[in-house]
Amino acid sequence: MDPHLGDKYPIKAAFPIAKLASKCLAPEPKMRPSMKDVLEMLQGIQGSTNKTVEVRGDH
């Protein structure tokens, strides 16, 4: 986990988000989820944790 996040993320969401990121990095493009699917999965993860995470970056 990015140390800049400190404890400002739901622990329960870390593993499902990591699994999703892994799917997005599949070597075969056809095996990667669409952005629509990614959004739906992220919304489902957020809904199951009932927490909103604020991330402040240097971007």
Side-chain angles (χ1 to χ4, degrees):
M1 201 54 67
D2 186 334
H4 290 103
L5 291 176
D7 62 353
K8 295 181 181 173
Y9 64 93
I11 294 291
K12 286 183 174 182
F15 183 69
I17 291 173
K19 279 179 53 176
L20 176 57
S22 178
K23 289 179 182 182
C24 292
L25 297 172
E28 190 65 38
K30 291 180 183 180
M31 300 301 293
R32 298 176 197 151
S34 69
M35 289 309 294
K36 179 183 178 210
D37 291 340
V38 170
L39 177 61
E40 289 172 359
M41 288 183 233
L42 289 173
Q43 289 172 330
I45 293 167
Q46 182 180 24
S48 70
T49 60
N50 282 332
K51 277 190 170 182
T52 301
V53 179
E54 281 188 34
V55 177
R56 294 184 186 120
D58 297 333
H59 307 299

